[in-house]
Amino acid sequence: MPSSMTAFARLEDTCEQGHLSWELRSVNHRYLDLNFRLPEAARGLEPRLRKHLQTKLARGKVDCVLRHQPTDNQSAAFDLNAPLLKSLLRQIANVHSKLPQHTAPRALEVLAWPGMLQTAPTCLQHLHAACYQLFKQATHELVSMRVAEGQRIERMLRQRCADIKAIVQTIRSRQPQVLIAIRDKLQQCIAQLHLEADQNRLEQELVYLAQKLDVAEELDRLDSHLNEMNCIFTRQQPTGRRLDFLAQEFYREANTLASKSADIETTQAAIDLKVLIEQMREQVQNVE
């Protein structure tokens, strides 16, 4: 079953560690491209999050954004980074001895130094567990939306395939009429020139034209592509690349069919085929 690469999921939850919010956005991409925007306290969780997504998705550009608003109690649960503070004070004293005219930084400025305040280890573990649990739920929602969108794309593709099949059958049924029309046109041209036609030569020319304008092979290939398309819909693994290749093959046969066309109706049918195939190609670009 085709799955779309375009989807969006947003989940929020409140726990002991504060208010958590995940936003996952997925768009089409040739490969699986994962991008995370995490608060400092959740940086260490990224490898685990990335591994989880890789088991659920095969293609697409996915942006994952986590927002964390700590509660008042959690905001106070910080440990001072003593080694960093000691090193920073030593460097401040060194700079002050060389530049005595500059005042020393205030305590709040020191506390605002990156990495000076650290979340307590126990609180960090609980935060990571809550973030990961909510992330799994958001991923499930994202995958469900991709599957639902994939089902819509499949219905559209099946309808286009049915329309293509009807056009192919129409073109195939018209081929004997096309040959008769060519014969009649040649005989009319000869009659207008007041010439006596060599029937053997006329038959040879008709055979040559019939071979040149024969589109049976292209119609058979289109039928084969339609059968392959139906088989692809039953596959369990990602099918986007296979569908994209098949859409290109559809378009190639439609082009050849148009170039061999010997009457207006066949030409119009070939144009209709191209329109349908182009609609398929646009949708296939979003399939995983």
Side-chain angles (χ1 to χ4, degrees), residues 274-287:
K274 288 185 178 183
V275 172
L276 292 171
I277 294 168
E278 187 60 33
Q279 293 173 354
M280 293 174 61
R281 291 175 66 179
E282 291 176 358
Q283 293 298 324
V284 162
Q285 297 299 319
N286 292 324
V287 177

Side-chain angles (χ1 to χ4, degrees), residues 67-137:
R67 295 181 176 88
H68 174 219
Q69 182 63 41
T71 61
D72 294 337
N73 293 335
Q74 289 297 317
S75 299
F78 288 113
D79 291 337
L80 190 65
N81 191 336
L84 178 60
L85 176 61
K86 183 178 180 180
S87 176
L88 182 61
L89 292 177
R90 185 168 59 250
Q91 296 301 327
I92 291 174
N94 185 27
V95 172
H96 187 65
S97 65
K98 297 179 181 179
L99 301 172
Q101 67 276 18
H102 292 277
T103 58
R106 293 176 297 178
L108 288 178
E109 295 175 342
V110 173
L111 290 176
W113 192 267
M116 187 60 69
L117 293 178
Q118 298 176 327
T119 306
T122 303
C123 296
L124 197 61
Q125 293 176 2
H126 293 165
L127 175 63
H128 283 190
C131 291
Y132 183 68
Q133 186 62 32
L134 188 61
F135 180 76
K136 289 198 299 183
Q137 298 175 18

